[in-house]
Amino acid sequence: MSQTIENTAPTAVVVARPGSALTRSLIGGLVTSLPVLMVGLLILNFAPTYYTYLALGAFVNLIVVVGLQVFMGNSNIANLGHSAFVGLGAYGVAILSTPLAMKKLSIPNAPFGFATLQLDPVSSALIALIMVGIVAAVSGKVISRLSGVAATIVSLALLIIVHSVFLNWTNLFKGNQAFFGIPKVVGLPWMMVFSVVVIVLARLFKDSRWGLQLRASAQSPQAAAALGIDARGLRLMSWVLSALICGLAGVLYAYFAGTISPKLFYFQMIFNTLAMLILGGMATVTGAVTGVIVLSVGLEFIRSIESGVTIAGIQLPQLLGLSGVALGVVIVLCMAFRPSGISGRYEIDELLSRFFRRNAK
Amino acid sequence: MDYALQQLLNALAFGAEYSLVALGLAVVFSIMGLVNFAHGEIIGVSAYSVFLAAALGLTSPFVAVLLAVAAAALAAIAFERVAFRPVRYAPTTTGLLTAFGVSIVVQNLFMLLISPKPQSVSILNGLNQMWFFGAFAVSSLQVMELIVSGLTILALVLFLNRSTLGLAIRAASRDFATVRLMGIKANRVIATAFAISGALAGIAAVFIIARRGSVSPDLGFSLVLKAFVACVIGGFGSLAGAAAGGMLLGFIEVGLLVALPQEYGGFKDALTYVIIVALLVYRPEGLLGQRVELGDKEI
């Protein structure tokens, strides 16, 4: 809250010129996505295939974390169910766009004529996102009625329900087995484009009238209600937007990996993305981006140790679980010493403009 | 008739187990507002200490039970000291995420230090027998589970109502600041609450080991998810609500298992959660929870 006061106070002219606040948060979003673009371009031009694959995974995580920030950062309700939407997006396009020949092998008994249906990747993605939106709207109706812990537990229930359906509706989702043969149509360039779009979108939502009202209602429900803010409606809105972004991440994942399985979209993904958001700081979009960059690099390093590494001629044993311990320790230490995360309360462009203003004086 | 009785006993035994674990969560939540996600890992620590003791040559099931409960209580106190004390006065979300972190660390430590695979523990298998009453055959474990849970809950109620420390705990759950002004030490009240919650988890751990005959890193996790649900449907923070919610969950699960045709059995979990969510739409504050008026503390 205080940041908006500090920001608007010296530039009161802003109020008189509608549209410039929009421009400012648009530019802010683009500044936030600059490091992402740079990393992407470097990898695109110089890195070997292995790193490109890693980067694609990291970009998917980035989109998920930004989606998570849209809900958690603004409403301050912990969401432990977002990977359900990633899974729904991924399975949605898998069922719609997989070539018929492949479907004959994998889901010959699919209901509703899905076994004989094949759409192009773009319309598959759109339909999958509409499905995600519907599920989000229904679950959001429940979540927005609750606050605090109860809302978190319902988000967890959603995750378990969706996972259980993936596992048990074997005719449609192939159960525990991997779903293969999804057309691989997304590469790094598209992934970068969508990442930038999503970052800017999250920033625009945060700075919008709705985002501001939602953040206000999260800080003081009574005061916000007294000002006539409809906290439920806003929570629902941010829940659906967050779900759609997560769904998009799932769609992109399916389109670059070509193979998906239910366990990808369960607690492991929740752990990873939540740790990234917490470490970076969930109050800002900058925080989401920072967390993804720092933890992606850190975890990749730990994973290389985990699989057994030779240091100075000594072969270390396999250390399964090391990356999990590191993730948990990051969360615990962060909560104890810096609950607001690396980036704290300010977006990167806000920090930069303060820095330059101070130096100009 | 036999079948109906058997299913009733199933429901009661499951319900009793969920109630035990849910009460452990509720005791801690009502006092310090902490959603203890790491409660399942307290069960895990308890189970792994029995596993290690058995591996070192301990043969007495009686000692194993004592060890399980003691280890769980100590683990709970240790978690509080190391991880939860720094976030004691932080918002609920901070505490919840800290506990989430602790849960991940401990689960992965089991994987790293012992093994990602389930390890067999046979020391408590003797608890799991069939008892015959004329024509009826019942599992001794289920009967004991029901009796022990009942006695434990009774002991907890007596402790909370009759002892000074129990009174302090109940008072602290209403207004912690005033309790401290009365000269009660905050650390002692909170440590006691964690010890109680740990002991409840330890008792649950004994039954889990006896039933499964093995331990695995994610042993307590899914059970605690269910216990959360029990707490939420009962009304978070209400002890009676947690116990009632646990029982209700046991009945819903067994009811679904009986009602669903064999080939849809896998959907039991999904349907259970759908029913829970539907209950919450009807009563967002939980069955025994209190409606929060504006101006009251947000739950």
Side-chain angles (χ1 to χ4, degrees), chain A residues 279-314:
Chain A
L279 178 68
M282 65 181 184
T284 57
V285 182
T286 308
V289 176
T290 315
V292 175
I293 295 177
V294 172
L295 262 192
S296 297
V297 175
L299 280 180
E300 199 39 50
F301 176 68
I302 292 171
R303 260 184 221 119
S304 62
I305 301 176
E306 201 172 42
S307 53
V309 73
T310 315
I311 297 175
I314 305 161

Side-chain angles (χ1 to χ4, degrees), chain A residues 84-171:
Chain A
F85 295 116
V86 186
L88 284 173
Y91 270 98
V93 292
I95 288 166
L96 292 170
S97 71
T98 304
L100 289 179
M102 282 292 191
K103 271 188 186 171
K104 223 166 258 160
L105 289 173
S106 58
I107 46 167
N109 303 320
F112 316 123
F114 280 132
T116 53
L117 177 80
Q118 185 199 340
L119 298 175
D120 64 298
V122 176
S123 26
S124 303
L126 287 177
I127 296 174
L129 285 180
I130 291 171
M131 286 306 297
V132 168
I134 293 172
V135 176
V138 173
S139 55
K141 267 292 194 201
V142 182
I143 301 258
S144 61
R145 274 169 67 89
L146 306 167
S147 64
V149 181
T152 305
I153 303 295
V154 171
S155 72
L156 201 61
L158 175 77
L159 176 71
I160 297 170
I161 293 172
V162 170
H163 186 71
S164 173
V165 170
F166 284 159
L167 280 186
N168 290 300
W169 196 345
T170 35
N171 283 347

Side-chain angles (χ1 to χ4, degrees), chain A residues 76 80 142 145-147 149 153-154 156-157 160-161 164 168 222 271 274 278 319-321 324-325 328-329 331-332 335, chain B residues 35 37 87 93-94 97-98 100-102 104-105 108 112 225 228 232 236 266 270 273 280-281 284 295-296 298-299:
Chain A
N76 209 14
L80 304 178
V142 182
R145 274 169 67 89
L146 306 167
S147 64
V149 181
I153 303 295
V154 171
L156 201 61
I160 297 170
I161 293 172
S164 173
N168 290 300
Q222 291 92 339
F271 291 155
L274 206 59
I278 290 169
L319 298 165
L320 280 177
V325 173
V329 168
I331 297 181
V332 173
M335 284 291 134
Chain B
V35 184
F37 240 97
V87 295
T93 311
T94 311
L97 295 175
T98 306
F100 203 64
V102 173
I104 302 170
V105 171
N108 282 285
L112 192 60
L225 291 184
F228 273 120
V232 172
F236 225 101
Y273 285 100
L280 282 176
V281 175
D296 281 3
E298 271 280 298
I299 53 163

Side-chain angles (χ1 to χ4, degrees), chain A residues 5-187:
Chain A
I5 296 166
E6 279 167 36
N7 277 337
T8 46
T11 48
V13 209
V14 170
V15 184
R17 281 187 297 149
S20 81
L22 180 75
T23 324
R24 208 173 43 192
S25 67
L26 200 64
I27 292 170
L30 290 173
V31 170
T32 315
S33 52
L34 264 184
V36 178
L37 272 181
M38 265 149 52
V39 170
L41 284 176
L42 278 177
I43 287 177
L44 200 59
N45 288 316
F46 300 109
T49 329
Y50 172 66
Y51 283 97
T52 315
Y53 199 78
L54 282 183
L56 282 163
F59 271 99
V60 169
N61 275 342
L62 174 77
I63 299 176
V64 176
V65 174
V66 171
L68 189 58
Q69 195 276 336
V70 168
F71 181 72
M72 265 180 76
N74 294 315
S75 74
N76 209 14
I77 295 173
N79 174 4
L80 304 178
H82 54 280
S83 72
F85 295 116
V86 186
L88 284 173
Y91 270 98
V93 292
I95 288 166
L96 292 170
S97 71
T98 304
L100 289 179
M102 282 292 191
K103 271 188 186 171
K104 223 166 258 160
L105 289 173
S106 58
I107 46 167
N109 303 320
F112 316 123
F114 280 132
T116 53
L117 177 80
Q118 185 199 340
L119 298 175
D120 64 298
V122 176
S123 26
S124 303
L126 287 177
I127 296 174
L129 285 180
I130 291 171
M131 286 306 297
V132 168
I134 293 172
V135 176
V138 173
S139 55
K141 267 292 194 201
V142 182
I143 301 258
S144 61
R145 274 169 67 89
L146 306 167
S147 64
V149 181
T152 305
I153 303 295
V154 171
S155 72
L156 201 61
L158 175 77
L159 176 71
I160 297 170
I161 293 172
V162 170
H163 186 71
S164 173
V165 170
F166 284 159
L167 280 186
N168 290 300
W169 196 345
T170 35
N171 283 347
L172 190 56
F173 296 108
K174 277 204 78 185
N176 213 355
Q177 289 169 299
F179 199 119
F180 52 86
I182 308 159
K184 296 187 186 183
V185 289
V186 167

